[in-house]
Amino acid sequence: MDAARELEIAVRRADGALRQPLPIWVVRVGDQVYVRTWYRRDTGWFGHALASRRARIHVPGLDADVTVEDVGEGTAQQRADIDAAYRTKYGDAGAESMVTDSAAITTLRLGPA
């Protein structure tokens, strides 16, 4: 995950079929993997991920089924660690939209299925 600029995430439908994969930035803090979007909404890939809690991810060398956990803003320390991971990986200017309050509340943790 550290080497991948982004991953592709395909959220599972209720019947188990995969939706269209979409690229998204990804960070790792310790052994936890996180993704965010710019703002929280109940539509699009994010809304479907919240509803199904299941997805399939792809990065070079890895295809895996994952669980999706809504972390939201998390604790102050957790948010600071995730914000720092975005800044380190994508640079201050690149990560600017991913470390806002509206992005922080969209934090999802991906775990093994």
Side-chain angles (χ1 to χ4, degrees), residues 24 35-47 50 97-108:
I24 188 164
V35 296
R36 287 178 172 168
T37 188
W38 291 327
Y39 59 94
R40 191 174 185 93
R41 60 192 182 282
D42 294 329
T43 60
W45 78 268
F46 185 81
L50 290 177
S97 64
M98 300 307 289
V99 297
T100 64
D101 290 342
S102 60
I105 63 171
T106 72
T107 305
L108 302 175

Side-chain angles (χ1 to χ4, degrees), residues 10-29:
V11 177
R12 292 228 176 250
R13 299 177 189 271
D15 66 3
L18 291 172
R19 295 184 177 278
Q20 181 70 27
L22 298 169
I24 188 164
W25 285 2
V26 58
V27 296
R28 190 170 62 113
V29 176

Side-chain angles (χ1 to χ4, degrees), residues 68-98:
V68 177
E69 179 186 352
D70 184 6
V71 174
E73 189 172 1
T75 66
Q77 185 62 57
Q78 185 179 37
R79 176 173 177 185
D81 291 345
I82 296 168
D83 286 354
Y86 271 99
R87 286 187 180 103
T88 298
K89 187 169 185 177
Y90 298 104
D92 286 333
E96 185 176 310
S97 64
M98 300 307 289

